[in-house]
C-alpha cells in the first residue's frame, strides 16, 4: 500500500493542490514529485489544534512553519518521518523526534542563489532608492520639475565599501562573491573560517561591526545567535552603515534597531524577516526611519521552490528506500 504523506502548510510552497496543473501565467511549481511517492494530502495551513488530527494515519509528515513541539511529537502515532520544507528546522523539536526514533530531514541549499540575490535587492534599494524614485516620477515630480534630473535622497556607490558578512555558509559565501564582483571588500565572521573563493578578511564580531559599511546576516538561529544584533552591537556600527537581514528575525533586537534607525545611529536597514511573522501591527520596525521590509520572500523564486519540492521528494524517496538523507537529528 502506498504510504500516506501529509503536508501541513503547503500554500507558501505552491498554492496548487495535488493533481492540479498550472494554467498559462499561473505559478509553475507543483507537488508532482511528492505525488509520485505516495498518497499525498496537502493542507494550505494547519491550526495547532488540528495538527494531530491531520497527522492521523500518516507515515510521513512535512511542515514548513507549522510547529511540531515535544508534546505534539510524543502524541504522534504511526509517524516515522518528519520533513521540513526549509533549511532551518526551528519549528520541530528535533530532540523529541530523536527520542521517538523519528528522523527529521531538512532541505539544504535550495534557495542559496535566490536569497543572495534578494540580499542585494534590499541593499540596492537602500543605496539607489529605485522604488522611491519610481514612485516620485509616477507622482509627477519629474514632469513638474525644472531640471533633467532629481534625487529623492542620498545615493551611495558600493564599490570600495566594506561588506560585513556574519556567517560563511553557502548563502554567506554567495553574498561575498557578489559583493566582491561589485568592488566591495568582504569582511567575514564565522566560527569556522573556510575557503570562500574570493579575497576576504576574517574578523571577530566586534571588529566586523565596527569596520563594515554594510552588515549582512547569514547565520542560523541558535541560543548563541538569538539577539545577536543588540543595542551594544548597533552602537558599534558606523552612523553611515546599513544592516541587512535575510536570515532569521530573532537575530535582531527589533526595539533596539528601531530606536537606532529613528535616532540616526545607523543609516538604514533592509529586512526580509521579522521575529513574528506575520508581524504585529505595533512592531516598531514597521514605522522606523529608512527601514525596508519585504515579507519573507527571499527564498520564494519559482526556481528555488521547484528545487525545494524536488529535494523534499528526494528525502522522502531516500527514507522509503531505507537510506535517509539530510537528517538533522540522528
Amino acid at each position: 500500500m502506498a504510504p500516506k504523506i501529509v503536508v501541513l502548510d503547503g500554500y507558501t510552497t505552491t498554492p496548487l493542490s495535488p493533481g492540479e496543473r498550472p494554467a498559462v501565467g499561473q505559478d509553475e511549481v507543483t507537488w508532482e514529485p511528492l505525488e509520485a511517492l505516495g498518497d499525498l494530502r496537502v493542507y494550505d495551513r494547519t491550526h495547532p489544534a488540528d495538527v494531530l488530527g491531520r497527522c492521523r494515519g500518516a507515515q510521513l509528515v512535512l511542515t514548513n512553519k507549522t510547529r511540531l513541539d515535544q508534546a505534539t511529537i510524543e502524541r504522534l502515532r504511526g509517524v516515522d518521518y518528519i520533513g521540513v520544507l526549509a533549511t532551518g528546522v526551528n519549528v520541530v523539536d528535533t530532540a523529541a523526534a530523536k527520542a521517538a526514533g523519528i528522523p527529521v530531514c531538512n532541505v539544504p541549499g535550495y534557495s542559496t542563489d535566490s536569497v543572495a540575490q534578494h540580499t542585494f535587492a534590499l541593499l540596492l534599494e537602500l543605496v539607489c532608492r529605485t522604488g522611491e524614485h519610481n514612485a516620485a516620477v509616477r507622482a509627477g515630480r519629474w514632469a513638474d520639475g525644472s531640471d533633467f534630473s532629481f534625487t529623492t535622497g542620498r545615493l551611495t556607490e558600493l564599490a570600495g565599501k566594506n561588506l560585513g558578512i556574519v556567517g560563511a555558509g553557502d548563502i554567506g559565501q554567495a553574498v561575498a562573491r557578489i559583493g566582491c564582483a561589485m568592488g566591495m571588500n568582504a569582511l567575514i565572521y564565522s566560527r569556522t573560517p573556510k575557503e570562500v573563493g574570493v579575497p576576504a578578511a576574517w574578523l571577530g564580531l566586534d571588529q566586523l561591526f565596527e569596520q563594515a559599511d554594510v552588515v549582512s546576516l547569514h547565520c542560523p538561529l541558535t541560543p548563541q545567535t538569538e539577539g545577536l544584533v543588540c543595542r551594544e552591537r548597533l552602537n558599534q556600527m558606523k552612523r553611515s552603515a546599513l544592516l541587512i537581514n535575510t536570515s532569521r528575525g530573532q537575530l535582531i533586537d527589533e526595539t533596539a534597531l528601531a530606536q537606532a534607525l529613528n535616532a540616526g545611529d545607523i543609516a538604514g536597514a533592509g529586512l526580509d524577516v521579522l521575529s513574528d511573522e506575520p508581524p504585529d501591527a505595533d512592531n516598531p520596525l514597521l514605522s522606523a526611519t529608512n527601514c525596508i521590509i519585504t515579507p519573507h520572500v527571499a527564498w520564494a523564486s519559482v526556481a528555488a521552490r521547484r528545487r525545494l519540492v524536488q529535494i523534499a521528494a528526494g528525502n522522502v524517496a531516500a527514507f522509503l528506500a531505507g537510506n535517509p538523507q539530510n537528517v538533522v537529528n540522528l
Side-chain angles (χ1 to χ4, degrees), residues 35-149:
E35 288 178 76
L37 298 173
D39 176 13
L40 178 67
R41 178 68 182 269
V42 178
Y43 296 96
D44 286 345
R45 304 165 185 86
T46 296
H47 188 275
D50 297 325
V51 169
L52 287 173
R54 291 182 172 181
C55 292
R56 190 173 296 119
Q59 181 184 356
L60 303 98
V61 174
L62 282 74
T63 181
N64 188 326
K65 292 293 182 285
T66 300
R67 186 166 297 279
L68 297 176
D69 58 16
Q70 179 179 354
T72 300
I73 290 171
E74 288 176 347
R75 296 173 65 191
L76 292 176
R77 297 292 180 267
V79 173
D80 299 322
Y81 171 95
I82 294 173
V84 180
L85 294 167
T87 302
V89 295
N90 305 89
V91 298
V92 178
D93 188 323
T94 55
K98 179 178 180 179
I102 303 173
V104 177
C105 301
N106 73 337
V107 182
Y110 75 95
S111 64
T112 297
D113 291 333
S114 291
V115 175
Q117 173 180 295
H118 196 83
T119 297
F120 280 90
L122 292 169
L123 177 55
L124 289 169
E125 179 59 35
L126 285 168
V127 299
C128 297
R129 303 175 182 266
T130 307
E132 193 175 294
H133 283 103
N134 175 62
V137 169
R138 291 179 177 275
R141 283 189 58 186
W142 201 9
D144 294 338
S146 303
D147 302 299
F148 79 96
S149 173

